[in-house]
Amino acid sequence: MTLSHRWGIKETFTLTSFNVNHMSNSIPWDSIPRIYQEAIELTRLLGIEYIWIDTLCIVQDDAEDWQREAGKMKSVYGNSYLNIAATQPEDSTGGIFFSSNLGTKYPAEKVPRDPNIQVRPQPHYTHVHFGSNYNYNPPNAPLMQRGWVLQERILSPRVVHFDAEEIKWECQAMADCQCGGMVVIANFKRDYHACFKPNGTPLPYEWMRISEKYSALNFTYDSDRLVALSGLAEQGVQSGKGGKYLAGLWEHKLAHQLCWQIVNTHRRPDVCLAPSWSWLSVFGRVIYSNRMDFTSTCSNIDVKIQEISCLSRDGNTATTSTSPVMGCIRLSGRGVSMPAELKNPGTQTTPPVYCLRSAGLEIWIRADYVMNREEANSVTEALLLFWGCMWPHQNTFLVLKPVLNESRKFERLGIMSLPPDKADHLGHILNHLKMEEGLLIV
């Protein structure tokens, strides 16, 4: 068995190098926090001999042990009999068992003329965390706000969620709950695992859902954002369904995945974690206007991606490494370099806005991330690169800024889309573009 739980601000019941010998011999039952006691009781009731709990199975003050164990998450959760998700408690002092008033709050009513059939309303917004097509994250379940929990939930063959209102169930084939509401929605975990089946949805498209959900979650340490995806990334690599893993994206269908947008937070970490073309380079909730284009038949990619590389700074593969990732994409496409005028420097939570003007063109764009005034003023030129016509008929451009003293090398600055009713404006822009060869985005 495994346990997914939320760490509190001050968790004192943990395995450390100081107490490892003592805790290896015996642990008094009364010293164990309630959440672990109840998880152990459930494990015993199911007749399972062992349970894996991160606070007791990883030496918390040993960086080498943490790094070693963090790389084993696919094996630990992927081979568990059942993962217990303590959805509601804020820390280890809470429990997993609740008394629910769901039946009283949403009573069943007999159907007129057929008393053998009863119906009741579905609780509102109680299943948002479990639907495939929901890309927002309400705060009603503390555990579901945490970044590490996403891969724990998806990797586990079976998960039982204990929340304040009801018990919920997910496995790789189905989802259910006490009120029955999860039966009628597309389930995120089930749909993800379906992509590994023959003729399933391509893995890169399901990862667009992964990035939308994962990017909305919270971390205590910025650096955890890479490694807390490593188990899922390793699973994807082993499946062979996506090609190379590229810092939160996949080699197959890469052009579609690069059309991400950031809708809140817009924070770049102090230490660069990923290439600028990866959504992992900016903290904030990700959305894709083209996410539902599962067949790609409605999209026309204009650029030609010629070469991709992605490695961690310690030289390991980008899948399992806990260190920052570096990478570059070499491509050709139609673009135009334009002077960039800073129109709004932004705030601590909103990115700067620029106006690109050249030869009768005027393009307004918002940067992906927040900058200080000096950094915002340093952007004086941008390359407007036509990416293609993405579903649903959005003409999409990536906006790149030149890397100082590096010819033909750029970083992503932002993204811009023109709706179908701006066809005349699109034609005017395209007339100014010329073919750009050997562009390198880092």
Side-chain angles (χ1 to χ4, degrees):
M1 301 275 279
T2 51
L3 174 67
S4 289
H5 65 103
R6 190 183 190 279
W7 283 55
I9 298 175
K10 296 180 179 179
E11 293 287 351
T12 58
F13 189 80
T14 60
L15 182 69
T16 66
S17 56
F18 176 76
N19 65 16
V20 63
N21 291 329
H22 171 72
M23 296 188 78
S24 298
N25 292 322
S26 65
I27 303 175
W29 180 256
D30 291 342
S31 70
I32 301 175
R34 178 185 169 192
I35 197 169
Y36 307 140
Q37 286 185 349
E38 294 186 358
I40 292 168
E41 289 171 356
L42 178 58
T43 300
R44 287 172 171 169
L45 287 169
L46 292 174
I48 306 299
E49 190 171 3
Y50 298 104
I51 182 170
W52 190 95
I53 301 174
D54 54 0
T55 50
L56 303 180
C57 295
I58 301 175
V59 183
Q60 299 300 320
D61 59 351
D62 186 332
E64 290 185 4
D65 188 66
W66 182 90
Q67 186 169 354
R68 183 168 53 248
E69 293 297 325
K72 296 179 181 179
M73 291 301 100
K74 176 181 176 295
S75 175
V76 170
Y77 285 91
N79 291 297
S80 67
Y81 176 78
L82 175 68
N83 183 47
I84 303 167
T87 308
Q88 205 63 34
E90 295 276 357
D91 55 35
S92 61
T93 62
I96 63 175
F97 301 130
F98 292 89
S99 295
S100 173
N101 65 348
L102 193 69
T104 304
K105 193 174 180 180
Y106 302 97
E109 302 288 346
K110 292 181 179 180
V111 174
R113 299 181 184 178
D114 194 342
N116 294 320
I117 299 177
Q118 294 184 338
V119 297
R120 66 179 174 187
Q122 175 185 327
H124 197 44
Y125 286 140
T126 60
H127 306 97
V128 170
H129 297 287
F130 303 91
S132 280
N133 298 322
Y134 299 134
N135 61 0
Y136 57 99
N137 196 39
N140 61 335
L143 181 70
M144 306 301 272
Q145 313 300 319
R146 306 306 300 170
W148 278 95
V149 171
L150 184 72
Q151 74 169 3
E152 296 171 5
R153 167 188 167 195
I154 297 177
L155 290 171
S156 301
R158 293 160 289 273
V159 185
V160 58
H161 299 264
F162 292 90
D163 66 30
E165 292 189 318
E166 61 178 346
I167 295 175
K168 296 180 171 72
W169 170 268
E170 290 183 300
C171 66
Q172 296 176 5
M174 66 172 292
D176 205 349
C177 60
Q178 288 177 278
C179 80
M182 286 175 64
V183 176
V184 297
I185 62 175
N187 178 256
F188 174 57
K189 177 182 172 74
R190 182 186 60 211
D191 286 352
Y192 172 77
H193 283 282
C195 77
F196 297 115
K197 297 178 180 179
N199 301 318
T201 301
L203 174 65
Y205 289 135
E206 289 300 329
W207 263 73
M208 292 165 90
R209 283 191 168 117
I210 294 281
S211 60
E212 285 183 335
K213 289 184 178 292
Y214 188 75
S215 62
L217 303 180
N218 302 320
F219 288 93
T220 303
Y221 305 104
D222 286 355
S223 56
D224 285 358
R225 202 176 188 218
L226 292 177
V227 70
L229 266 184
S230 62
L232 286 174
E234 187 180 354
Q235 183 184 59
V237 170
Q238 290 177 356
S239 76
K241 294 283 188 176
K244 295 177 183 177
Y245 177 68
L246 306 167
L249 302 90
W250 293 92
E251 179 183 20
H252 297 170
K253 309 292 185 183
L254 177 60
H256 293 264
Q257 301 165 73
L258 290 168
C259 295
W260 48 268
Q261 302 174 58
I262 302 289
V263 297
N264 62 18
T265 309
H266 305 282
R267 178 176 68 86
R268 263 190 162 179
D270 294 335
V271 176
C272 179
L273 297 178
S276 70
W277 43 260
S278 168
W279 56 271
L280 286 169
S281 66
V282 184
F283 279 79
R285 185 164 68 87
V286 168
I287 62 170
Y288 291 90
S289 62
N290 62 318
R291 175 174 60 83
M292 298 304 293
D293 175 26
F294 292 144
T295 63
S296 306
T297 56
C298 299
S299 296
N300 294 299
I301 302 298
D302 195 70
V303 296
K304 303 295 182 186
I305 296 178
Q306 298 154 335
E307 183 182 353
I308 315 160
S309 66
C310 198
L311 283 174
S312 69
R313 286 185 180 171
D314 58 14
N316 293 324
T317 63
T319 310
T320 57
S321 176
T322 58
S323 69
V325 174
M326 301 178 295
C328 63
I329 298 174
R330 189 179 300 276
L331 52 79
S332 60
R334 290 185 286 171
V336 58
S337 291
M338 304 174 68
E341 181 182 351
L342 179 64
K343 288 297 186 180
N344 185 334
T347 67
Q348 292 183 343
T349 57
T350 59
V353 174
Y354 295 91
C355 180
L356 312 182
R357 284 196 181 99
S358 177
L361 291 180
E362 183 175 288
I363 309 292
W364 289 72
I365 66 106
R366 185 185 71 171
D368 289 328
Y369 50 91
V370 170
M371 306 180 194
N372 60 40
R373 190 59 184 261
E374 182 181 359
E375 184 180 8
N377 284 328
S378 70
V379 180
T380 58
E381 182 184 0
L383 176 68
L384 186 69
L385 182 65
F386 180 51
W387 203 256
C389 182
M390 310 298 294
W391 184 94
H393 313 299
Q394 295 282 340
N395 297 292
T396 300
F397 296 78
L398 286 194
V399 183
L400 310 175
K401 67 172 185 177
V403 174
L404 188 64
N405 299 324
E406 296 277 359
S407 176
R408 314 300 289 170
K409 184 181 288 189
F410 299 85
E411 291 183 356
R412 172 170 158 152
L413 181 64
I415 191 169
M416 184 197 76
S417 294
L418 290 176
D421 59 0
K422 298 289 185 179
D424 292 343
H425 193 36
L426 173 67
H428 185 50
I429 295 175
L430 294 181
N431 287 335
H432 286 78
L433 305 185
K434 66 176 183 178
M435 182 58 64
E436 301 280 356
E437 302 283 353
L439 299 176
L440 196 67
I441 308 177
V442 295

